[in-house]
Amino acid sequence: MASNGAVVTAHPIASKVGLEILKLGGNAVDAAIATQLALAVVYPAAGNLGGGGFLVAKLKNGVELAIDYREKAPGKAHADMYLDPDGTPRTDKSQYGHLSAGVPGTVAGLCESHRHAKLPFRVLIEPAIRLAENGFVISRAEANSLNALQEQFRRYNTQTPAFVRSTAWKAGDTLVQKDLAETLKRIRDKGKNGFYRGKTARLIVEEMKRGRGIISYKDLKNYRAVPRDPHSFEYKGHRVISMGMPSSGGVLLHQMMKMIEDRNLQAFGFHSPEAVHLMAEVERRAFADRAEHMGDMDFYKVPVADITNEDYLRERMSDFNPEKASISSAIRAGSVALRESQQTTHLSVVDKEGNAVAVTITLNNSYGSKTVVGGAGFLLNDEMDDFSIKPGVPNLYGAVGSRANAIEPGKRMLSSMTPTIVLKNGEPYIIVGTPGGTTIPTSVFQALVNILEFGLSAEDAVYRPKFHHQWQPDVLTIEKAFPADVRAALEAKGHKIREVSAIGRTELIVVHPGRRIEAIADIRGEDSAEGY
Ligand code: DON
């Protein structure tokens, strides 16, 4: 609980950096920038300079802001680049190594965000430089994850990165990243140009040459982070502000919330088979639309208004059967023509001025492509796999897509990231988001429904077991801790159930009346909440 401001992130050091910046007089945007830079050092699985993300903010001056710093397909990319001559899809190439990397967006995104910050950029980047240069002490979990990837780090790198060691990492070791510190200093001194031009750009392009990747000087020079309108909608008197295309997150959340809005979930109760079944069926239908209709709107006309129209959504639910699971192969994306018309990370911040910021950033898979830019010390993303590399071929998260999300030069791959802010009486009320690939929108959906419909505490809304349906594959994924009797009831309705150890790492802030700020870090990781 805090009264001035709070920061929740996936790493204790990063949360402390955010808090430091708030106490120094920075606003929530300052804290979000410094935290992301710190995460690029202390949380290399997902924090990054070589990836991308989305920022959603509600500023105290009333501005509702979305900044898109999603990676882009390089200029030399093309629709069939991950297909063998006989058409065989090569997800090994879209998920690992140089060719899997999109043009990074993070540094441009941080610089674009900085327009809304108060402190000089060099102040915000200083903690990250210090952490990279002097190192930081790693936990057992961090040691384990580095050890597990030694073979892949060797295979996908042309120069030995700081993560590789001849002896095993153990808890208490210090991870020092000198090359990364130098890259951060170039960004401190030259801003965006310290990354997209000059020495860093040269190191990226040289790495591409050594590893047969395709990112060019021109791709780097032309990269822009884009301020966009957030995707917003009303839900029972609340205003929900989330990320629109090129993330599917905000639109999926909108569809799912509207499909349950009039169905009196409260009467069923939290984790009742009726409620979980209804929510899973809603998720199934939203994801069928994702596969058909969603992609980068700079390249493809996504019928956003049509697929969020309330009549359309009512029609989508017309074949819902409370007793029986639908079969995904029989559920198609809604027709709009007829109607005319594993690792990622999230951070939530509020400050004492009333600004709220939700940021989700990613390299896509844990440690992205596993390729570190030689001499520059940062990992490249494997975000190209978020495109539909061939219609119907599942990506890392089992998601399928079509023309809407096909690869084209300069296009942004479709995301599921859902940084979200809910307003009550016009003021930030809930700030939420999570990693988890396609489970992101459904986790955010559940966090919101848990609070707004079931009246759960903020803690329970995050901690209690989650579930997920994404149309294809036709399975209902549940967390191991999910109640066995509810599972059995769902199976009796015909759901095919798959169990996973954890879904997401949700970071949630609730601002209660009287500005009592409750910040919840997910217990599924080593996440941490700080406030003052
Ligand atoms: O943008 C997306 O939807 C994915 N690249 C996010 C990946 C992710 O959340 C991995 N986390 N576990």
Side-chain angles (χ1 to χ4, degrees), residues 213-273:
I214 55 173
I215 297 174
S216 68
Y217 284 114
K218 194 164 160 216
D219 291 329
L220 294 167
K221 189 170 64 122
N222 288 342
Y223 185 88
R224 300 274 179 281
V226 191
R228 299 196 187 268
D229 291 330
H231 184 86
S232 310
F233 59 96
E234 302 294 322
Y235 184 81
K236 296 191 177 171
H238 298 93
R239 181 169 175 77
V240 182
I241 309 169
S242 191
M243 191 67 215
M245 302 299 146
S247 181
S248 59
V251 170
L252 290 174
L253 185 64
H254 186 167
Q255 291 188 304
M256 295 186 291
M257 298 291 286
K258 287 295 170 190
M259 283 192 267
I260 57 138
E261 190 172 28
D262 59 356
R263 285 186 184 253
N264 202 11
L265 268 180
Q266 281 164 41
F268 296 140
F270 173 71
H271 271 180
S272 61

Side-chain angles (χ1 to χ4, degrees), residues 46 54 70-71 246-248 290 342-345 360-366 382-383 386 396-397 413-417 434-441 504:
F54 300 111
R70 182 69 162 169
E71 300 91 324
S247 181
S248 59
R290 182 190 194 276
Q342 203 118 333
Q343 265 296 18
T344 297
T345 192
T360 315
I361 47 174
T362 189
L363 289 165
N364 194 25
N365 204 353
S366 200
D382 64 327
E383 218 76 61
D386 270 349
L396 193 57
Y397 306 97
M413 54 297 280
L414 184 63
S415 175
S416 301
M417 294 190 280
T434 179
T438 43
T439 67
I440 295 172

Side-chain angles (χ1 to χ4, degrees), residues 288-343:
D289 278 3
R290 182 190 194 276
E292 177 68 20
H293 295 306
M294 300 186 205
D296 182 354
M297 286 185 82
D298 291 347
F299 285 75
Y300 183 88
K301 201 178 166 318
V302 180
V304 172
D306 291 320
I307 60 179
T308 53
N309 174 286
E310 296 196 11
D311 294 332
Y312 168 89
L313 292 170
R314 207 164 296 123
E315 202 176 299
R316 291 292 281 143
M317 285 299 279
S318 60
D319 58 354
F320 168 71
N321 180 342
E323 303 306 328
K324 216 169 160 335
S326 305
I327 296 163
S328 286
S329 55
I331 299 278
R332 301 253 78 109
S335 164
V336 292
L338 292 177
R339 297 172 33 78
E340 174 35 38
S341 122
Q342 203 118 333
Q343 265 296 18

